[in-house]
Amino acid sequence: MLLQLLFLNFNYMLRNIFILFFSFSIYSQGTLMVDSEKSSLSYDAKHFLHAWSGVNDNISGVIVYDKEISKIAIAAKVVDFDSGNSNRDAHSLEVLEALKFPIIKFYSDDIKYKSDSLIITGKLEFHGQTKNIIVNSKLNDSNEHVQINGSFNVIPTDFLIKLPSFMLAEIKDLLNIKFDLYFKK
């Protein structure tokens, strides 16, 4: 409960970050905000004994959009990931040092179109580290929304995360991240 109270005001802070991030380049372009009712971000993790997933349905984000996406910024609070097992989630918060590094961020202004796909080269901020990544995604641009979905891999030790272990074996050093993002027009 206390942890959730500490993070309540982050949504307001995230909106301000996105506004500042894009304020210098949106004079002739529009911004579309994430539709948090529809959007989600998830991870898949494995240990030799079992595999599990966690989902975050409380995503914040914005794109700069003028018939094409020119910039994107996405943020998710670590505390909002739910694996369906409260003990595992509490341990994840400890391992990921959620009080010290509460937010995962991705941003890019290098977006290339390829038919109905996007190749997004950007920066992922996770656990106090920033890494360049390339994300391939599908694009669905309708009258009501812009939808971007896809997946990419994260190697936790690249972000200086000490892998947790169970029965003397660490979890696999690979997280598969899936996203399904809707931006309201």
Side-chain angles (χ1 to χ4, degrees):
M1 178 76 171
L2 177 61
L3 192 58
Q4 287 178 332
L5 289 173
L6 290 172
F7 292 112
L8 281 178
N9 65 355
F10 274 109
N11 281 334
Y12 301 109
M13 184 177 74
L14 289 175
R15 285 194 176 108
N16 290 335
I17 289 170
F18 291 130
I19 290 168
L20 288 173
F21 181 76
F22 289 109
S23 64
F24 298 108
S25 63
I26 60 173
Y27 297 112
S28 64
Q29 301 169 326
T31 57
L32 303 179
M33 300 298 290
V34 163
D35 182 346
S36 58
E37 299 283 319
K38 293 182 178 181
S39 299
S40 67
L41 178 66
S42 67
Y43 72 88
D44 295 324
K46 292 182 182 176
H47 183 270
F48 80 93
L49 290 176
H50 67 287
W52 67 96
S53 297
V55 178
N56 185 332
D57 293 323
N58 190 22
I59 309 301
S60 297
V62 64
I63 58 175
V64 174
Y65 176 82
D66 186 16
K67 297 183 183 162
E68 286 192 344
I69 301 167
S70 61
K71 296 183 183 211
I72 185 169
I74 303 297
K77 295 183 283 185
V78 173
V79 72
D80 287 339
F81 282 91
D82 182 4
S83 72
N85 180 319
S86 59
N87 288 333
R88 177 174 35 235
D89 293 339
H91 186 61
S92 292
L93 294 176
E94 290 174 34
V95 168
L96 297 176
E97 299 178 274
L99 287 175
K100 190 174 181 181
F101 309 111
I103 299 176
I104 302 165
K105 300 179 219 170
F106 175 80
Y107 49 93
S108 173
D109 61 1
D110 184 359
I111 301 169
K112 297 188 179 30
Y113 278 73
K114 185 177 178 182
S115 185
D116 64 344
S117 299
L118 298 174
I119 301 168
I120 305 170
T121 303
K123 296 192 180 295
L124 178 64
E125 292 183 20
F126 181 36
H127 195 252
Q129 304 298 306
T130 302
K131 303 290 179 191
N132 293 321
I133 65 169
I134 296 173
V135 178
N136 294 305
S137 59
K138 292 288 184 189
L139 174 69
N140 177 11
D141 192 348
S142 72
N143 290 334
E144 297 86 35
H145 62 266
V146 174
Q147 179 190 12
I148 305 170
N149 59 39
S151 65
F152 61 95
N153 291 324
V154 170
I155 299 171
T157 56
D158 284 352
F159 293 88
L160 305 181
I161 296 169
K162 186 177 182 304
L163 297 176
S165 61
F166 179 68
M167 297 198 55
L168 302 177
E170 292 178 340
I171 69 165
K172 188 173 180 181
D173 193 13
L174 182 70
L175 299 173
N176 180 261
I177 310 299
K178 297 176 191 163
F179 57 93
D180 192 13
L181 305 171
Y182 290 82
F183 298 88
K184 298 178 189 178
K185 284 189 174 178

